[in-house]
Amino acid sequence: RAKTGRIGHAVYDAALDSAQMLRLSMIGELRTAISGGQLRLHYQPVLSAQTGRPRHVEALVRWQHPEHGLVPPDRFIPLAEQSQLIGSLTLWVVNEAVRQSRAWALDGVGVGRIAVNLSAHCSQDSRADEAIRRRLVQHRDVLTVEITESALASEETRATLRELTAAGVSCAIDDFGTGYASLAHLRELPADQLKIDRTFVQHLDTQPRDEAIVRSVVDLARALDMGVVAEGVETLATADRLRDMGVGLAQGYLWSRPLPGDELAVWWVRQAGG
Ligand code: C2E
Ligand code: CA
Ligand code: CA
Ligand code: CA
């Protein structure tokens, strides 16, 4: 290697340990997945906690891997965030959501807006990041965004959120309660919704402390003129509690798991009709 001095050889240097090799090959595979049509979006309905009527959907990405089958996002989003692929991945998500929204409209299915998840790390790749923001603003009538509370620790992410909301894009703060967002940040952030993390929601009906936390998030949101979404609702008892506490929107396996676009349309029509 020293003799030829070619950079390409360095990548395959025996000194690279196997963990690094695996990481590099996974990054390569993920790049292929993004450009080669292996990503899929599934959609989970978000309903009125008061009436049970479906209101909008959240888009959740999956990787249809040729050997491993459907890979969940927790297994590849972190890698995408560390390897600068998150920009092109997110741009794909945004474009696919716009395409799906049009397809539903053409089929006469009035599925509400589609919420897409944004990473803090999008801003690493400024070209993709700018394209993402442009698309989101252009399609603000059909798309909304979710940004995690922990991502908002970064000033860059807060600036993105301010820019998007100033341009009329509706934003939710995701996983609220887990990210230690300071109340000072919250005060200055123009988000529309607080999305309570499912760890506080799941055992609401049996854990008084969780109930106290959800109650205080509802109060906080009301004081800040924001809406509340409760995620991870799995039981009727939890849904009843949320309704009684005045939570606006809810989402969870109780109503539906995330579904492919065509199945979501069938679910939506049946739900809205019945
Ligand atoms: P998230 O944004 O908090 O999404 C909610 C997760 O909770 C989803 O997992 C959803 O399937 C799951 N879930 C929904 N209802 C229930 C329930 O009743 N019980 C339980 N136990 N789980 C429920 P999923 O689809 O595996 O996504 C995991 C995370 O991956 C997401 O968490 C989000 O942080 C990330 N993610 C997904 N899609 C994207 C994307 O397009 N871009 C980015 N940057 N991140 C994404
Ligand atoms: Ca989310
Ligand atoms: Ca969440
Ligand atoms: Ca989460």
Side-chain angles (χ1 to χ4, degrees):
R1 187 177 64 88
K3 247 184 266 166
T4 65
R6 284 203 314 199
I7 286 169
H9 286 200
V11 174
Y12 300 100
D13 194 299
L16 280 179
D17 63 33
S18 59
Q20 270 173 303
M21 287 295 288
L22 185 66
R23 205 181 117 82
L24 283 173
S25 83
M26 270 196 71
I27 290 172
E29 277 193 76
L30 185 55
R31 183 176 289 117
T32 306
I34 297 168
S35 59
Q38 292 175 17
L39 297 183
R40 304 282 180 272
L41 286 184
H42 283 187
Y43 302 88
Q44 188 178 34
V46 179
L47 304 91
S48 161
Q50 300 301 313
T51 66
R53 275 250 184 85
R55 289 292 182 75
H56 68 265
V57 295
E58 176 178 9
L60 295 153
V61 72
R62 278 93 180 85
W63 177 0
Q64 185 65 59
H65 193 282
E67 290 139 46
H68 307 312
L70 210 59
V71 182
D74 292 338
R75 299 263 302 279
F76 62 90
I77 291 285
L79 191 70
E81 290 176 343
Q82 292 154 19
S83 63
Q84 311 240 337
L85 288 174
I86 190 66
S88 51
L89 185 150
T90 305
L91 189 55
W92 180 86
V93 168
V94 167
N95 286 330
E96 173 61 14
V98 170
R99 189 203 62 76
Q100 181 64 74
S101 167
R102 285 202 185 112
W104 282 331
L106 283 173
D107 286 345
V109 183
V111 172
R113 296 199 279 187
I114 302 175
V116 297
N117 290 281
L118 291 192
S119 271
H121 307 262
C122 285
S123 13
Q124 281 177 352
D125 178 353
S126 58
R127 266 211 353 254
D129 197 35
E130 207 186 298
I132 291 162
R133 288 198 305 262
R134 244 196 343 263
R135 298 287 277 163
L136 288 170
V137 171
Q138 185 185 0
H139 296 285
R140 65 193 162 208
D141 294 340
V142 291
L143 300 183
T144 68
V145 302
E146 296 188 1
I147 302 179
T148 61
E149 185 193 9
S150 45
L152 290 168
S154 129
E155 166 54 32
E156 234 175 331
T157 311
R158 294 199 297 277
T160 300
L161 178 67
R162 279 194 292 269
E163 189 182 323
L164 287 173
T165 52
V169 179
S170 173
C171 295
I173 299 180
D174 204 353
D175 298 354
F176 188 74
T178 63
Y180 311 103
S182 84
L183 294 175
H185 286 157
L186 198 58
R187 183 183 55 191
E188 65 171 34
L189 286 174
D192 309 278
Q193 305 270 355
L194 293 180
K195 198 162 181 182
I196 311 175
D197 193 71
R198 69 162 181 262
T199 51
F200 302 113
V201 173
Q202 235 142 19
H203 308 291
L204 189 64
D205 48 330
T206 53
Q207 302 285 327
R209 287 177 160 246
D210 288 349
E211 182 174 340
I213 288 168
V214 172
R215 223 177 257 291
S216 68
V217 174
V218 171
D219 287 346
L220 181 64
R222 191 168 289 145
L224 294 171
D225 204 18
M226 296 163 90
V228 172
V229 188
E231 65 177 13
V233 182
E234 295 183 353
T235 66
L236 262 176
T238 302
D240 288 346
R241 276 307 239 291
L242 291 167
R243 190 196 52 224
D244 294 346
M245 279 192 255
V247 166
L249 297 169
Q251 173 181 10
Y253 295 167
L254 172 63
W255 296 286
S256 173
R257 289 182 177 258
L259 299 170
D262 49 349
E263 290 175 37
L264 187 277
V266 171
W267 180 94
W268 191 281
V269 167
R270 194 184 316 138
Q271 192 81 6

